Structures are given as structure tokens and as C-alpha cells.
Amino acid sequence: MRTARRDTPAPKTLVARLLTGLAALVALVVVGALAPGAAVAQSPGAGTAGDRSAAAPAAGLHIGEGRLLEGNGNDFVMRGVNHAHTWYPAETQSLADVKALGANSVRVVLSDGYRWSENGPEDVAAVIEQCKANRLICVLEVHDTTGYGEDTAAGALDHAADYWIGLKDVLAGQEDYVVVNIGNEPWGNTDPAGWTEPTVAAIGKLRAAGLRHTIMVDAPNWGQDWQGVMRANAQSVYDADPTGNLIFSIHMYSVFDTAQEITDYLNAFVDARLPLLIGEFGGPADQYGDPDEDTMMATAEQLGLGYLAWSWSGNTDPVLDLATDFDPGRLSDWGERIFHGANGIAQTSKEATVYGDGAPDDTQAPTAPGTPAATAVTDTSVTLGWTAATDDTAVTGYDVVRVDDGTETRTAASTTTTATVTGLTAGTTYTFAVYARDAAGNRSARSAAVEVTTDEGGGTPDGACSVGYRVVGEWPGGFQGEIAVRNTGSTAITPWTLAFAFPDGQTITHMWGGTATQNAGAVSAAPASYTATIPPGGTVTLGFTAQKGATNTAPAAFSLDGAACATP
């Protein structure tokens, strides 16, 4: 089941982009008036920060001669997308999906807790490992800073810097794989000149704390720098980093609707030997203008600059969704342009060489997963669980297929050993099987198949039911849960079996009020003697403790004696 869109507005809605409307109105005048020679300081000379990266020992990704380089000195040009992890933490499959479409990098939205729920160390560590498992360079960014100075809900760069310092232990040793983007669009259109000082201070704070990663800084004016503040002050900001491992990020939307504006801006940084990438950009036209994505992508390719398209999926206004409902099989026109168009990801992306000794030479496919078992069968959905496959390197995901007269249709994907298939027809028999895949793209043999017949329409054999699920408490690696099963019918239910599936690999270690049997994520719970009968209108409660990983998503559906229960 796809995660529902948040009520909290995700960035890059048409309403949010109204905040750049003033930029769109004056872009031709202001940006066109900024001549490269006047807007950017002269190229760094001997003894300046521009030469420091060559003299200092490289610790993974670093800057040299205005270029982003890997630890071995190879040029690395980002070709990837943005992914809104902090609002959609269950969509872990997204990293594997963008990799499968050719991306070599991904910019991951996080929160430092100022505006949205904080992504803690365990979660961030899991994101990094998922990036590495999928052979992606990971740009981690704090989104709470968006529009500071104009949006009163935004947090300061200083708060974001403290967040990164708190993650120092998680980030240590990941310099080959991770770029730290201090804060997203950290200044609005109100007095954007105020961007420079806190940006310099945040960089200094991170370096003083010992972070050696390449740092990325976003421009003011909601990232679009239409008043040229970042462009004019880029050299002084770069010189403030004692390591020289700093890269600038411009966000290109409606302000950048002509080829001249785009080429002038990008070439100004290249001419000054100052590192730059397009950290976000859009293509679809809106009431503020029609961004010239063709020139953005062509010029980035010509100059060897990275780009990261906004965004994979989940925008409140889906005009900028590359994939519909996080489904890689349903790319939008915008998604097709980014992945398969001229100068797109498929044509131009090259995997980071830090992964060169692994999966590209891996030709061994994973073993076949175990036969899937069906739980929580309703009239329109079913949850499947299976025993994990094994691989000589690592299994990175599973594909669930529907088999019909020898034809296969991909119906779900998962990074765990459970998946929920939705959109089924009531009273219909389906056949499902599962494939495993590894980071190199090797695919296993198909699992044995399971036949599932969807319900005619819900209810339970002896009466209706509803199930309430809650997490009582959590701790690193574990949690305590409670399941309340209510008989909403007019006759007693006895005995009974409750079935559900954990979506994130959670494993029950102890249950009271019943006995749990678990196969991968699929759980079947039988009652204890004192909970064996549920009277009409009555409720019995099961308690349990369980192990968990970085995420702890609740089961999507429950069934009692094979029929669906309501989930209030």
C-alpha cells in the first residue's frame, strides 16, 4: 500500500512556488544584468582556497580545480533525483527504483526536527546503507531551513549545523559516499544578502566539529539566486572553508526560463573555477513561467556539471512527480524526459568508481525466494510474505508478479520480505510469485507460486470485526505493540485466528494474550485460553514485543478467520 500524501505541504507545490513569483517577474532584468565578470570574484590564484584541495589529503569525495572528484581523483558528475524521505519514510524502495532507471546519485530530504519530525541517527544510517546497497552517491539535506527570513516556520542554518554535528558518528567514514547539504533553500526573498554570513558560520561550525565531507550550500531567493547574492559572494564563501571541499547548488525553476539566463549562470561558476551543480530543477510550465529544462540539461552535460531533478514522487501538487505514486512503471512525462530524454539520466549517468570493485562484476544471481504466503486477504488486496533469498553480495529488493497464462505482470516491489498488492477485483483468483534482485541487477529464478482468491466483500464468518493497532513504546532495535480485536457482530467469535503482515521486517519476540507464528513478515496469531472467545460487542487484547529496524510502519490490514477487519 502506498503511503498517503501528507497534509503538511511538501515543497515545490504551485502554492509554494508563488514565493518565487517576484523572481519570475524580474528574472530577465536582474539575472541578465549580472555580467559574469562583475558577479563572481576572480578565479582563485596561487595560495587560495582553490588550490587547497590539491594539497590536502582527500577523504573521499572532494573538490579539486572547481570539480567534484572521488577519493581516487576521478571526476564525478551527479545524475540523479530528489527523494522526499522525511515525509514518506516507508518508501524505501524508491532508492532501488531510481538506480534501476540509471541514476548515480540521490538527494534525500531529511528534517532536523525544527519544522517536521526529526530523522534520527538510526534512520539516517539506514538511508546511507540503502544508498550504498544501491550503489548511489547520497546527498543528505535538511529541509527545515527552506525560505528562512521570509517563511516564519523555517529554521536557521545554525540549527541545521547542530543537527549534522549530532550525526557525526553516523557520518564518520562515509566521506566516499555522502555529501552534506547543510540546508535546503536557506533564505527567502526578504533581504537575501543576509544569506552570506550564516552560510559562512555554518560551514565553519561543521569544520570545527571535525566533519570532512564535501559540503553543499544552496542559494538564497528560495534557491534560485535571482538577485545574484550567491553568485557575487561565492568566492568569499568558498574561501571560508579551510578544506576547500565545498560545492554550490543552484535551484532552477521559473526564474530560469531562457537559455541565456541558464548558460550565463552556469558558465560564471565554471569560468571562476568554483564548483556548482543544479541541485533541483523543474521542467513543467506553470503560471509563473516555463523553465527551460532542455538548456539546463544540455548545458550541464556540456560543462560536466551535475543535476538532480525534483522530485521522485509525493509532491502535494503532482505536476513535478517523476513517478506516479512512487511507481517506477508509471513515469510521468516529466519523468520520461529526465530519465529517457536527450541529455537525460539514461544517456549520461556514470556510476561512481568507488563501487567499481563490487556489483558490476557480480554475475551471480540471488537464490529464489520462498513460496509466498497470503495474509490479510480482502476483496481488493492481499498481503504476501516469503522467506528471504540469499546472495553472494546482498539482496537489495524483491519484485512481486502476477502470473496469468504464462504472462507476468509486476504488481509490487519491496526491500523487505512482505508486500501488499492492491487494486484487485472481489471474488477473483490470482496467482502470485516473487523474484529477488541484487545491486548489480541480477535477478533470481522465480519463486513457487501461490493462488489467492479475494473476498466477495468483507466481514467475518461469525460476525464483523475491527482491529486497533498501536505502538506502546519504542527503543533502539525494538518496540512494544498492542492489538485490540473487537467483535462488532451479534454472535460470539470462537475460536479465531488473526492474520497480518509487518511491512518493514519487524519480528515478534514474545506475545501475551495469544501465540504468534511468523513467516518472514506474515504473522498468524492464535488466542490464549482466556482470549479464545470474543463476545458480541467485546474486545480482546494481544500484547507483544518485537525487533525492528530503522522504520516501524504499522501493518496495513488485518483479517480474522480469513476475512477482512475494519481498521479504525
Side-chain angles (χ1 to χ4, degrees):
M1 178 179 293
R2 297 293 181 187
T3 303
R5 282 188 167 83
R6 300 285 191 257
D7 292 333
T8 302
K12 304 304 172 293
T13 65
L14 293 180
V15 173
R17 293 174 69 194
L18 178 60
L19 295 167
T20 60
L22 180 59
L25 293 174
V26 301
L28 288 173
V29 176
V30 177
V31 178
L34 291 172
V40 182
Q42 295 299 309
S43 302
T48 69
D51 298 316
R52 285 193 300 263
S53 58
L61 290 162
H62 63 285
I63 302 300
E65 295 299 318
R67 308 288 302 168
L68 178 62
L69 308 176
E70 294 191 69
N72 60 6
N74 282 9
D75 210 36
F76 181 68
V77 179
M78 291 190 187
R79 290 286 182 266
V81 305
N82 287 262
H83 170 54
H85 171 75
T86 198
W87 301 297
Y88 301 97
E91 296 295 342
T92 55
Q93 175 63 27
S94 296
L95 299 186
D97 290 339
V98 299
K99 176 62 178 182
L101 288 164
N104 65 13
S105 46
V106 62
R107 182 171 177 256
V108 180
V109 176
L110 301 176
S111 172
D112 64 2
Y114 189 89
R115 185 168 186 175
W116 295 285
S117 297
E118 179 179 339
N119 296 99
E122 188 178 50
D123 184 36
V124 176
V127 168
I128 294 172
E129 289 309 307
Q130 289 161 7
C131 285
K132 292 165 68 174
N134 288 290
R135 307 170 68 81
L136 294 162
I137 295 301
C138 201
V139 179
L140 302 177
E141 62 103 339
V142 163
H143 217 81
D144 308 66
T145 58
T146 306
Y148 183 82
E150 184 173 351
D151 187 340
T152 57
L157 279 173
D158 186 65
H159 190 273
D162 287 339
Y163 172 73
W164 294 119
I165 293 169
L167 292 173
K168 183 178 177 182
D169 290 345
V170 171
L171 298 171
Q174 305 298 335
E175 291 86 353
D176 278 310
Y177 309 97
V178 171
V179 172
V180 175
N181 189 177
I182 307 178
N184 181 70
E185 301 178 0
W187 209 275
N189 291 326
T190 303
D191 187 25
W195 166 89
T196 305
E197 184 177 344
T199 299
V200 168
I203 294 166
K205 195 170 192 177
L206 294 181
R207 294 308 186 203
L211 270 72
R212 302 181 65 202
H213 304 71
T214 294
I215 289 175
M216 184 182 294
V217 294
D218 285 7
N221 295 127
W222 299 86
Q224 297 198 77
D225 200 28
W226 60 268
Q227 290 177 291
V229 171
M230 185 173 81
R231 183 171 166 176
N233 291 279
Q235 187 66 65
S236 62
V237 172
Y238 183 80
D239 289 344
D241 184 354
T243 73
N245 291 328
L246 183 78
I247 187 168
F248 296 93
S249 173
I250 182 66
H251 293 183
M252 290 187 163
Y253 292 99
S254 304
V255 166
F256 292 92
D257 57 359
T258 70
Q260 191 67 50
E261 292 163 346
I262 295 163
T263 57
D264 279 355
Y265 197 94
L266 299 181
N267 275 291
F269 279 77
V270 172
D271 291 346
R273 288 168 48 209
L274 288 166
L276 179 74
L277 87 161
I278 307 174
E280 289 184 19
F281 68 106
D286 57 40
Q287 63 264 46
Y288 311 116
D290 186 1
D292 185 359
E293 71 275 16
D294 291 341
T295 297
M296 295 176 201
M297 296 167 71
T299 307
E301 178 63 14
Q302 175 193 355
L303 298 176
L305 303 181
Y307 66 65
L308 300 166
W310 188 277
S311 75
W312 178 239
S313 197
N315 289 285
T316 304
D317 185 331
V319 67
L320 286 172
D321 283 358
L322 296 160
T324 302
D325 291 333
F326 297 90
D327 185 349
R330 300 165 62 200
L331 292 182
S332 65
D333 290 344
W334 174 227
E336 290 289 350
R337 173 69 189 91
I338 288 299
F339 286 105
H340 303 306
N343 301 301
I345 287 174
Q347 287 185 5
T348 65
S349 176
K350 294 182 180 179
E351 186 175 83
T353 60
V354 70
Y355 296 117
D357 294 331
D361 299 324
D362 177 12
T363 59
Q364 181 175 328
T367 62
T371 306
T375 60
V377 180
T378 73
D379 53 344
T380 60
S381 67
V382 60
T383 298
L384 302 171
W386 55 88
T387 303
T390 60
D391 187 59
D392 61 328
T393 55
V395 174
T396 58
Y398 297 90
D399 295 313
V400 177
V401 296
R402 187 175 73 240
V403 184
D404 185 16
D405 292 331
T407 301
E408 295 181 357
T409 304
R410 184 174 180 266
T411 59
S414 178
T415 55
T416 68
T417 54
T418 62
T420 299
V421 181
T422 59
L424 305 179
T425 302
T428 303
T429 299
Y430 294 90
T431 301
F432 297 102
V434 183
Y435 289 93
R437 47 187 161 75
D438 63 18
N442 298 311
R443 199 184 196 197
S444 73
R446 194 174 80 187
S447 74
V450 62
E451 276 195 357
V452 181
T453 301
T454 53
D455 290 344
E456 292 289 348
T460 65
D462 298 314
C465 62
S466 67
V467 174
Y469 176 93
R470 72 185 185 102
V471 173
V472 177
E474 290 190 73
W475 54 90
F479 71 104
Q480 179 181 334
E482 182 180 277
I483 304 170
V485 185
R486 178 175 174 78
N487 179 359
T488 58
S490 58
T491 59
I493 301 174
T494 186
W496 50 267
T497 301
L498 181 73
F500 59 93
F502 283 120
D504 296 325
Q506 300 98 318
T507 303
I508 290 179
T509 54
H510 178 63
M511 176 174 279
W512 52 97
T515 302
T517 302
Q518 186 163 353
N519 178 13
V523 179
S524 177
S529 59
Y530 57 91
T531 58
T533 299
I534 312 176
T539 300
V540 298
T541 301
L542 307 177
F544 65 90
T545 55
Q547 297 175 343
K548 70 175 183 68
T551 54
N552 190 20
T553 309
F558 297 84
S559 65
L560 196 67
D561 295 333
C565 293
T567 52

